[in-house]
Amino acid sequence: MGKFITGVHDHLVLSACAMLTDEDRRILQAHGRPIPPPMPIRLVIDTGSGQSTLIPSVVTQLNLSPRGSTRVHTSLASGKSNLFAVRLEFPDTGLSPIPKLLVARLGLPSSLSGFHGVIGRDVLRRWEYFRYEGRRHRLIIRDKPNPLLRWLTG
């Protein structure tokens, strides 16, 4: 069970590492092409966004290939975007990696220039528990059910 607790100041933020999916890495290796190194990123958690996003420079640096397109509606912007498959890992959090996540390529407003993308409800719904405690300025994420609670509730 992975659990992550952190203090919150201005934004709900989750540090991650973006990289190629295992499938894409194997394809590049088979063709003798270089594999881009994993990229440390900072993501804003946006409960108003249905789709997770990465800024164009991250998509370019990881050399991701389009996997289709979608119409994206976030609390920050709306528009049509290509989708890209990426693996997200969350070092130093205890949260399990997401082996393959389709993200939209979408820029962020200048007020969020210190971030690399948005975690939307497509990721939030994968987690068992997501709680923001406003008075305590605390964010709690649990990616799997607590084994003790599962045992008690059978």
Side-chain angles (χ1 to χ4, degrees):
M1 172 189 69
K3 183 177 180 182
F4 175 62
I5 300 174
T6 188
V8 174
H9 302 288
D10 293 331
H11 302 286
L12 301 178
V13 178
L14 186 59
S15 293
C17 195
M19 61 194 71
L20 295 179
T21 64
D22 291 344
E23 174 187 357
D24 289 341
R25 195 170 40 247
R26 281 192 298 272
I27 291 169
L28 288 179
Q29 284 175 333
H31 289 90
R33 295 180 48 203
I35 297 171
M39 183 176 182
I41 58 175
R42 293 181 68 222
L43 302 167
V44 176
I45 297 173
D46 182 0
T47 60
S49 298
Q51 178 74 49
S52 295
T53 68
L54 288 175
I55 60 174
S57 62
V58 173
V59 172
T60 300
Q61 187 169 336
L62 291 174
N63 198 24
L64 301 176
S65 299
R67 302 288 178 97
S69 64
T70 189
R71 184 111 181 118
V72 179
H73 301 280
T74 72
S75 60
L76 304 171
S78 170
K80 190 169 182 172
S81 173
N82 285 329
L83 292 171
F84 300 86
V86 67
R87 176 182 175 91
L88 287 183
E89 294 185 0
F90 307 99
D92 305 321
T93 68
L95 298 174
S96 299
I98 300 174
K100 184 177 182 181
L101 177 67
L102 290 178
V103 296
R105 179 178 55 197
L106 194 67
L108 293 175
S110 59
S111 61
L112 296 175
S113 63
F115 300 99
H116 300 96
V118 169
I119 291 282
R121 290 188 312 274
D122 57 330
V123 171
L124 298 180
R125 75 174 57 96
R126 293 172 183 240
W127 292 331
E128 177 70 20
Y129 184 82
F130 172 83
R131 181 176 179 162
Y132 170 59
E133 296 177 343
R135 290 185 186 166
R136 292 183 176 175
H137 304 280
R138 186 165 72 171
L139 172 65
I140 304 169
I141 300 169
R142 183 177 293 127
D143 61 3
K144 295 182 181 119
N146 184 325
L148 179 59
L149 292 177
R150 181 179 275 171
W151 176 78
L152 289 173
T153 59

